[in-house]
Amino acid sequence: MTAVMTISTISCGKIDNSMDTYQYRGVDISGEPVTITYLTIGDKPINGMTEQVVDKLNEILLKKANAKLDIYYIGWNDYLENYNHTLDMVSVNLDLVATGSDWLDAWPNAVKGNFMPLTEEMLQKCCPQTYKNVSAKEWRCCSYNDKIYFIPENEYTQWINHGFVYRGDIARDAGLDSITSWSDLDKYFKYIKENNPNMIPWDAGANNTIATLGYIMSSKKNKYVPIYELGIYGVWGIYKEAPSIIVSPYYEGDEFVEYAKLMKEWCKMGVWSTDSKASDDDYTKFYNGDAAVVQHHTQNFYTIIKPNMDIFQPESNTKFFWFGQENGNLVRNSILHGAMAVSKKSKHPERALMVYDLLRNDPECYKLITHGIEGVQYQINSKGKLEKPSGYNDERDGIVTDFWWGRRDEFEEKLEDSGYAWAEYEELKSEYDRVATDYQWDRFPFASSIIADKISKVTLVCDKYIPEIASGNYEISAEQEVANFRKALKEAGMDEAIRVLQKIYDDADGRSSMKAGSSLNSKDDSDAGESSSDASSAASTIDGTLDENVEPDNVGIDNGGVDNGGIDNVPADNAGADAAGN
């Protein structure tokens, strides 16, 4: 099991506790300073710079909240298993817990009692600046059985939808102005195999399953919207054309068969190496000119890949083909993709909320927790843009705070990095804003404990078949492979899983139960994704109210052992952590 560690800060003595020192009136913060432990995902840094940043941050926190911060790290290796295990442990003292509904089992941990319910009075008093910027509808998205468990990252625009980063110069040579469809991508790969046999079209790695969901969401027949809370593959969801019916394109329909046939063809064509050990899907071969695409998300495209390609391959004219581009199917991030919770075991929940409110809203605290110390980790140039100081070395000077649970556009726009590909980002953002729909599943209690075992059994089947189908490296036909997969899904209880998910969906949305998996209909049900105000309590018809004494091992959705995230699930800040998406 990966070790988890904290960064401890300098000890501080008693301070002047006059009420004028504090902005949180009505909260007793007298006495000795308290330590608030913040759990985040990331590898603990070893260069000593993060401790310096936390020390400076604590000078402010002590003055304004009589508190100081420690950071508790869950390393990227086996991060989800270690995260859940840590939250279950009685001996680990935590206060603020980073979480996410689509990659960090936020709802299962709320259901099993690892997070503290937050009352409106508590939030208004101890987290007032954040509270006033979260709407009533957004607070309902953070609630289970009418109790608030999360603070959403609702003031931050982040595009972590996936796609292929490709070379515009090669696309031009292949007769393509740009790649806007999977058919274009197929033509691009064929041109490379015929004209540049020493180049790897796609250094796909041992697992390329993110593109599986990308293909399904790009279908011109139906626009699929997956429920990311139910696992990394996006096995269940709805079609926008029939938004009241839970479906699984992995289980029924033609899209997945078409995908399997294409992957089989690409494998035979040699689009990727069949030796998984020789492929790692990192950026090195792309930067060196040895690979023609990399698969990642928008934020990594404009913050990392495009800027580096402009240095290493300046003639490449690097571009981005996003999944769903050909059919205009794009879903915005959940406001719970990066959320903050308070540990059930917190000894200082009110002070923890005060510290969070300061990290999120105080300009100096925000700059320190997100960017570090000015003049050391960053500087502001004459154009008002953020850049690295002269002589900056990331290994020596970099920090790891990974505060991805309360970022704000208001502050980020004032700290734009001068090295990012902003023109390309703005062009993409303009496209996205025209077609993107809000993530609709936040208000639905799909983390119900009754469904967890059913989801886990189906996920185990997916873990076996989806990577294999994505690789195209098997002896039988693609049609037979998919038939075998679907037979295994049925035996694992897929029909019952769909039935229970449909009931949860219907009950939460106030509809009478309808037959799941029936054919698409033409009825306009555009409001199906809008849950009623008491949607968070709908699961009580299935698994009862929240039992705060439930044993940890009884609940939880197994997201499988695949080290990749869903289409909207992948990080900008850690390129190797493909399941995070921050």
Side-chain angles (χ1 to χ4, degrees):
M1 179 168 288
T2 301
V4 290
M5 298 170 280
T6 63
I7 281 184
S8 298
T9 61
I10 57 175
S11 61
C12 301
K14 216 169 184 177
I15 63 171
D16 178 10
N17 289 319
S18 65
M19 287 304 294
D20 289 341
T21 307
Y22 308 111
Q23 62 188 75
Y24 298 92
R25 302 188 181 278
V27 182
D28 181 11
I29 56 173
S30 60
E32 295 292 330
V34 302
T35 297
I36 299 301
T37 301
Y38 149 58
L39 180 150
T40 193
I41 308 298
D43 295 325
K44 183 181 183 297
I46 58 174
N47 61 3
M49 299 307 292
T50 303
E51 288 87 342
Q52 293 183 26
V53 170
V54 172
D55 283 344
K56 282 197 168 290
L57 181 60
N58 282 340
E59 292 175 10
I60 302 172
L61 295 178
L62 282 163
K63 290 178 181 178
K64 296 190 175 185
N66 197 18
K68 54 183 181 176
L69 187 73
D70 279 349
I71 304 178
Y72 187 104
Y73 293 89
I74 301 290
W76 283 112
N77 186 36
D78 297 326
Y79 73 91
L80 185 59
E81 177 186 352
N82 290 325
Y83 174 84
N84 286 326
H85 179 71
T86 299
L87 295 186
D88 290 341
M89 292 173 63
V90 177
S91 60
V92 178
N93 294 317
L94 300 170
D95 298 288
L96 294 172
V97 180
T99 194
S101 61
D102 50 1
W103 67 288
L104 281 176
D105 283 357
W107 290 115
N109 278 298
V111 170
K112 71 168 71 168
N114 280 334
F115 298 142
M116 182 179 294
L118 307 173
T119 66
E120 287 196 54
E121 178 185 7
M122 190 178 182
L123 289 162
Q124 289 171 334
K125 182 172 69 171
C126 304
C127 208
Q129 296 177 82
T130 300
Y131 179 80
K132 70 181 182 181
N133 289 327
V134 179
S135 70
K137 178 180 177 181
E138 288 168 336
W139 282 125
R140 288 197 296 272
C141 294
C142 302
S143 302
Y144 181 82
N145 284 347
D146 295 324
K147 295 179 181 178
I148 296 170
Y149 284 92
F150 310 116
I151 304 174
E153 191 175 56
N154 64 314
E155 298 180 88
Y156 179 62
T157 303
Q158 184 182 29
W159 291 106
I160 49 173
N161 55 303
H162 273 246
F164 284 103
V165 183
Y166 67 95
R167 294 184 54 146
D169 58 341
I170 297 177
R172 182 193 63 236
D173 293 342
L176 299 164
D177 291 333
S178 59
I179 294 175
T180 60
S181 69
W182 284 78
S183 177
D184 289 344
L185 186 64
D186 183 49
K187 183 177 179 180
Y188 177 77
F189 286 158
K190 287 176 178 175
Y191 174 84
I192 292 164
K193 290 300 295 182
E194 293 170 1
N195 295 276
N196 197 346
N198 293 324
M199 177 178 278
I200 304 169
W202 177 18
D203 187 32
N207 196 320
N208 56 7
T209 57
I210 293 176
T212 307
L213 185 55
Y215 185 94
I216 291 171
M217 291 183 70
S218 300
S219 170
K220 293 180 180 179
K221 181 180 179 182
N222 301 306
K223 293 182 179 180
Y224 181 62
V225 181
I227 305 170
Y228 289 119
E229 287 86 342
L230 296 177
I232 59 176
Y233 300 116
V235 173
W236 297 273
I238 55 97
Y239 292 126
K240 289 182 179 179
E241 295 80 2
S244 61
I245 302 172
I246 298 294
V247 297
S248 175
Y250 292 84
Y251 191 46
E252 294 180 319
D254 299 330
E255 297 98 327
F256 191 65
V257 178
E258 293 167 358
Y259 166 78
K261 290 163 67 176
L262 181 62
M263 294 305 104
K264 186 81 169 173
E265 180 183 335
W266 282 1
C267 179
K268 184 178 180 181
M269 188 168 66
V271 169
W272 51 76
S273 171
T274 55
D275 179 6
S276 62
K277 295 180 180 179
S279 300
D280 47 20
D281 202 16
D282 67 8
Y283 305 151
T284 304
K285 291 175 184 175
F286 192 56
Y287 293 158
N288 290 342
D290 296 325
V293 300
V294 290
Q295 187 281 125
H296 221 287
H297 56 57
T298 298
Q299 192 153 330
N300 267 28
F301 165 68
Y302 80 88
T303 64
I304 298 174
I305 305 172
K306 169 70 174 173
N308 278 315
M309 282 296 281
D310 287 348
I311 295 171
F312 296 121
Q313 301 287 337
E315 78 290 350
S316 62
N317 187 23
T318 310
K319 297 183 178 183
F320 188 62
F321 161 53
W322 48 277
F323 298 147
Q325 184 171 354
E326 60 190 292
N327 66 349
N329 186 23
L330 181 63
V331 181
R332 296 181 187 276
N333 242 24
S334 165
I335 60 172
L336 298 180
H337 174 72
M340 189 65 80
V342 174
S343 171
K344 178 70 179 217
K345 299 185 287 287
S346 175
K347 297 176 182 178
H348 308 286
E350 291 191 338
R351 205 76 61 88
L353 288 172
M354 292 169 65
V355 167
Y356 176 76
D357 204 41
L358 287 165
L359 295 178
R360 176 167 170 151
N361 298 287
D362 181 275
E364 292 306 310
C365 290
Y366 188 92
K367 283 189 286 187
L368 284 165
I369 194 69
T370 57
H371 296 289
I373 300 170
E374 186 171 359
V376 181
Q377 279 78 38
Y378 73 96
Q379 64 186 24
I380 306 299
N381 65 21
S382 59
K383 297 181 180 179
K385 300 286 187 179
L386 182 148
E387 64 183 18
K388 298 301 182 187
S390 177
Y392 174 88
N393 178 280
D394 192 62
E395 185 175 347
R396 182 192 64 213
D397 303 318
I399 63 169
V400 180
T401 54
D402 291 355
F403 187 71
W404 303 326
W405 336 95
R407 291 164 294 183
R408 301 179 61 195
D409 287 339
E410 177 185 351
F411 291 153
E412 291 296 323
E413 289 168 0
K414 296 175 182 177
L415 293 169
E416 289 186 348
D417 195 306
S418 61
Y420 293 171
W422 290 111
E424 287 78 5
Y425 170 71
E426 290 299 333
E427 184 177 345
L428 285 168
K429 185 175 180 294
S430 178
E431 291 181 44
Y432 296 166
D433 286 340
R434 286 196 297 268
V435 300
T437 56
D438 289 338
Y439 186 73
Q440 70 180 68
W441 301 116
D442 285 329
R443 294 171 290 280
F444 295 92
F446 290 121
S448 168
S449 59
I450 193 92
I451 194 69
D453 183 58
K454 296 176 177 63
I455 299 299
S456 295
K457 289 178 180 177
V458 170
T459 299
L460 287 173
V461 175
C462 293
D463 287 344
K464 177 182 185 299
Y465 279 96
I466 293 178
E468 186 172 274
I469 291 170
S471 75
N473 191 19
Y474 47 86
E475 295 298 326
I476 59 178
S477 70
E479 292 88 344
Q480 186 58 53
E481 179 77 358
V482 173
N484 291 345
F485 174 39
R486 288 175 169 177
K487 181 174 183 290
L489 287 174
K490 186 175 186 66
E491 291 171 351
M494 174 63 97
D495 293 321
E496 177 65 9
I498 293 175
R499 186 194 69 77
V500 175
L501 290 172
Q502 185 72 57
K503 179 169 176 52
I504 293 171
Y505 187 25
D506 290 345
D507 289 349
D509 214 34
R511 293 188 304 270
S512 60
S513 181
M514 59 185 64
K515 184 178 180 181
S518 60
S519 60
L520 301 183
N521 59 56
S522 59
K523 181 180 178 182
D524 180 9
D525 195 5
S526 58
D527 292 328
E530 291 297 323
S531 167
S532 62
S533 61
D534 62 347
S536 61
S537 62
S540 62
T541 62
I542 295 180
D543 71 326
T545 58
L546 174 65
D547 182 358
E548 295 181 354
N549 297 314
V550 69
E551 289 298 320
D553 290 341
N554 291 344
V555 196
I557 294 173
D558 181 5
N559 279 330
V562 181
D563 197 25
N564 297 62
I567 295 305
D568 294 327
N569 292 22
V570 181
D573 306 275
N574 188 314
D578 273 359
N582 305 298

